Amino acid sequence: MDFGSSLSFNTVTVAIVVVLLILLVSRTLQWPANVPPGPSGYPIIGSMPLLRKGNILEIFRKLRAQYGDVFSIKVGPNLAVVINGADALKEAFVKRADEFSDRPSNYLSETLFQNKGIGFASGDHWKQTRTFSLSTLRNFGFGKKSLESRVQEEIGAYLDIIEEQNGQSYNIKEMTTMAISNIICSITFGNRFEYTDAKFKRLTSLFAENLRLNSVGGAIRSFPAVRFLPGDMFNVKKFIQNFTDIKCFALEQIAEHRKTYEEENQRDFIDAFLSQQIKHDEDDPIFDDMNLSTVVINLFLAGTETTATMIRWAIIYLIHNKPIQDKLRQEIETVIGTSRLPSHCDKPSMPYYEAFITEVFRMGNIAPLSVPHGAKKDIQFRGMLIPKGSVIMANLDSVMTDPGLFENPDRFQPERFLGKDGKMNGKERTVMAFSLGRRICLGESLARLELFLFLTSLLQRFEFLPESPDKLPSLDSTLGVARASTDYKCCAVKLK
């Protein structure tokens, strides 16, 4: 290239950059005057520097105190509206679900998933896919005894691995994630994997890494164009490659199922989907491979990392509160004994366990900002305008830590959910662990079953202790899509 053409190329490049900057600045100045109040932020980047200053949940608590239950914050060129408090959350996501149940349009949903699946889709596509998925999951065991046997089978393998550690300090993170993931595998793929399977271990690690990378206010959501920059300073390229690898794994499973498919012998979720695919037109947007692979990914996202994270939080609170651990074990011995595995039918007779796990839901607070919603049109809400295209965030943390609902919210206290008669007192209904409204977690019933069977089986066989008397597991957390505990080791000592 000669000097003149080089100069021309550079001039065009600069011009493009200037135009893009002007567009970004103009967008940040276009919001109507009556949008929910909030910090003004900076041109182009909005309030991203504020969000990176520390704990985003603490930042949102301060902004709520300053601006009220509905405030806005500019995240890059996008406007995010944050809804806080039980009353405002129910008003938006339950009473006005028609307006507040869509997902935002962004690079992740449009390019990586083509607005398909359950987690990222909206409108009729989401409704039809969710209806099919729910009915199919019920057919393969959701809410039935057959699913309990699958969970118990996995628990047996999981407990054996823990027992092999002989009470030595051990990080249960990877093993717990694989155990929960295997239950999704048995429903989706029709089989479980050995914990030593290299491809299976990589799959679970890819999901875990992407949950961490896809943080609130991160570049992946706000500035997907940074993927074109040299290097990968913001981990956008890493995130995309991880999801590409995950999607390839799902498509491999679909291809293998198609080779061995038998209409009269439907083995799992994929077979059920293929059965419908045969009955519909080739260009049906619901029953195509892209939608199936995305639903499979959604099931893993919703059903693996969150439940595994909750088990890890539960063990932390058991170690920090030895009297609570002892009381739970006493209830297990009274109701179940030691000669058989716990069964879901034992649960109604174990109110202290129910109070304990409800407090883990509240304190563990693993989905404090839920999954973002989106405004597909202008929405008038409480005298303010939520403009079309806004991201809408359900701040569940504002409920979980509300001192008006939970006295001394920083204390781990299962008894707050028990009445004088020793039974649940109704306060458990205020804990929004699985979100609310139409977007409530699809796998709630499975998660509750898994948590009951895993935790009671663990406590029936082991006593949980810190790795050393002076080194309790940290109560600190990291916040990606989920609020996870930091890594820790503990000792699971087999009971005599």
Side-chain angles (χ1 to χ4, degrees):
M1 181 182 293
D2 61 27
F3 178 76
S5 60
S6 176
L7 182 62
S8 175
F9 176 79
N10 289 335
T11 302
V12 171
T13 302
V14 170
I16 291 172
V17 171
V18 169
V19 169
L20 289 173
L21 289 175
I22 291 172
L23 289 173
L24 285 170
V25 171
S26 65
R27 183 172 181 185
T28 64
L29 298 175
Q30 73 182 7
W31 308 119
N34 62 331
V35 299
S40 56
Y42 301 94
I44 301 176
I45 60 174
S47 293
M48 289 185 72
L50 172 64
L51 298 179
R52 292 179 175 275
K53 279 186 177 179
N55 186 325
I56 194 170
L57 302 181
E58 292 286 353
I59 293 168
F60 279 9
R61 289 168 199 161
K62 292 176 182 177
L63 291 176
R64 181 192 183 191
Q66 182 177 356
Y67 296 109
D69 282 348
V70 184
F71 65 82
S72 67
I73 187 164
K74 298 172 182 66
V75 185
N78 304 311
L79 186 72
V81 175
V82 185
I83 299 179
N84 306 266
D87 290 342
L89 286 166
K90 290 175 183 176
E91 181 181 345
F93 297 104
V94 178
K95 295 179 182 178
R96 298 179 61 178
D98 285 343
E99 299 165 279
F100 284 87
S101 294
D102 287 317
R103 289 287 187 232
S105 296
N106 54 41
Y107 170 77
L108 298 183
S109 61
E110 292 175 358
T111 305
L112 291 183
F113 301 107
Q114 298 176 19
N115 290 321
K116 299 214 171 206
I118 307 169
F120 308 104
S122 296
D124 288 340
H125 189 284
W126 166 68
K127 292 176 184 176
Q128 291 181 54
T129 304
R130 192 178 195 275
T131 298
F132 166 81
S133 299
L134 264 177
S135 63
T136 303
L137 290 171
R138 289 192 183 111
N139 290 339
F140 284 101
F142 266 40
K144 297 180 181 179
K145 190 75 175 176
S146 58
L147 181 58
E148 181 174 338
S149 63
R150 294 189 192 202
V151 177
Q152 287 175 330
E153 177 189 3
E154 197 59 45
I155 288 172
Y158 177 70
L159 295 180
D160 288 344
I161 295 291
I162 294 177
E163 188 170 332
E164 288 173 5
Q165 310 311 312
N166 294 318
Q168 300 300 306
S169 63
Y170 178 62
N171 186 342
I172 66 166
K173 179 179 180 179
E174 183 182 44
M175 192 58 54
T176 304
T177 300
M178 288 195 291
I180 299 298
S181 183
N182 248 340
I183 296 167
I184 299 294
C185 286
S186 70
I187 297 168
T188 308
F189 305 143
N191 63 275
R192 63 180 298 277
F193 293 88
E194 294 298 324
Y195 296 144
T196 54
D197 186 294
K199 186 177 286 190
F200 178 52
K201 292 176 74 170
R202 173 159 172 73
L203 178 69
T204 55
S205 67
L206 289 173
F207 274 111
E209 184 172 41
N210 270 15
L211 281 172
R212 178 180 59 81
L213 292 177
N214 191 18
S215 60
V216 175
I220 294 170
R221 292 187 185 183
S222 305
F223 297 104
V226 299
R227 69 189 185 280
F228 298 120
L229 296 176
D232 195 20
M233 181 187 304
F234 300 100
N235 291 311
V236 175
K237 294 174 185 175
K238 177 66 174 173
F239 181 90
I240 294 170
Q241 185 58 54
N242 285 352
F243 254 126
T244 301
D245 292 347
I246 291 169
K247 187 161 66 173
C248 285
F249 181 89
L251 289 172
E252 286 175 9
Q253 292 289 328
I254 294 167
E256 187 62 34
H257 274 66
R258 188 170 279 119
K259 289 178 186 177
T260 57
Y261 173 79
E262 296 176 356
E263 176 63 33
E264 66 279 4
N265 180 31
Q266 292 184 24
R267 300 158 293 186
D268 47 44
F269 185 92
I270 292 178
D271 275 358
F273 194 101
L274 294 178
S275 175
Q276 291 299 313
Q277 195 176 69
I278 293 168
K279 298 173 184 176
H280 289 75
D281 295 336
E282 287 185 9
D283 57 353
D284 189 299
I286 303 299
F287 295 103
D288 64 14
D289 281 6
M290 183 62 194
N291 201 31
L292 175 53
S293 64
T294 305
V295 171
V296 168
I297 291 171
N298 294 158
L299 292 175
F300 272 89
L301 279 172
T304 297
E305 192 66 25
T306 50
T307 304
T309 298
M310 197 64 76
I311 289 173
R312 292 174 62 226
W313 275 120
I315 291 173
I316 287 177
Y317 291 121
L318 289 171
I319 293 171
H320 274 262
N321 300 275
K322 185 65 165 54
I324 291 175
Q325 183 176 165
D326 293 340
K327 191 169 181 178
L328 282 165
R329 193 172 290 109
Q330 183 180 8
E331 186 177 60
I332 291 169
E333 290 174 357
T334 301
V335 176
I336 303 169
T338 57
S339 61
R340 64 174 177 86
L341 280 173
S343 169
H344 192 251
C345 63
D346 298 315
K347 190 178 178 183
S349 302
M350 300 178 67
Y352 193 73
Y353 164 82
E354 193 65 34
F356 166 75
I357 198 60
T358 304
E359 186 70 335
V360 173
F361 287 149
R362 189 188 70 81
M363 288 282 286
N365 194 14
I366 68 165
L369 300 174
S370 190
V371 180
H373 293 229
K376 295 296 184 184
K377 60 181 181 180
D378 288 350
I379 301 174
Q380 291 290 338
F381 186 68
R382 294 194 165 190
M384 294 168 279
L385 174 66
I386 301 176
K388 177 182 178 180
S390 300
V391 174
I392 304 172
M393 303 176 73
N395 186 4
L396 306 183
D397 173 75
S398 66
V399 176
M400 304 296 208
T401 60
D402 187 347
L405 294 173
F406 308 106
E407 188 178 355
N408 299 317
D410 293 332
R411 288 181 56 190
F412 188 85
Q413 190 176 342
E415 287 77 12
R416 72 173 78 244
F417 297 106
L418 295 172
K420 293 181 179 179
D421 59 359
K423 298 179 181 179
M424 299 294 284
N425 59 16
K427 286 185 179 179
E428 71 276 9
R429 290 189 288 273
T430 62
V431 177
M432 299 177 179
F434 296 92
S435 196
L436 75 167
R438 292 179 186 168
R439 290 283 184 169
I440 197 165
C441 178
L442 185 74
E444 178 178 355
S445 63
L446 174 61
R448 289 185 179 276
L449 172 67
E450 290 171 331
L451 288 165
F452 176 75
L453 295 178
F454 268 82
L455 291 172
T456 53
S457 298
L458 284 167
L459 285 169
Q460 185 186 50
R461 187 181 295 195
F462 303 106
E463 179 182 15
F464 285 92
L465 301 170
E467 61 175 314
S468 63
D470 60 345
K471 192 175 182 181
L472 290 171
S474 173
L475 292 171
D476 292 339
S477 64
T478 58
L479 183 60
V481 171
R483 178 180 175 272
S485 63
T486 55
D487 283 356
Y488 66 90
K489 291 183 178 181
C490 65
C491 300
V493 180
K494 188 176 181 181
L495 297 167
K496 296 180 180 179

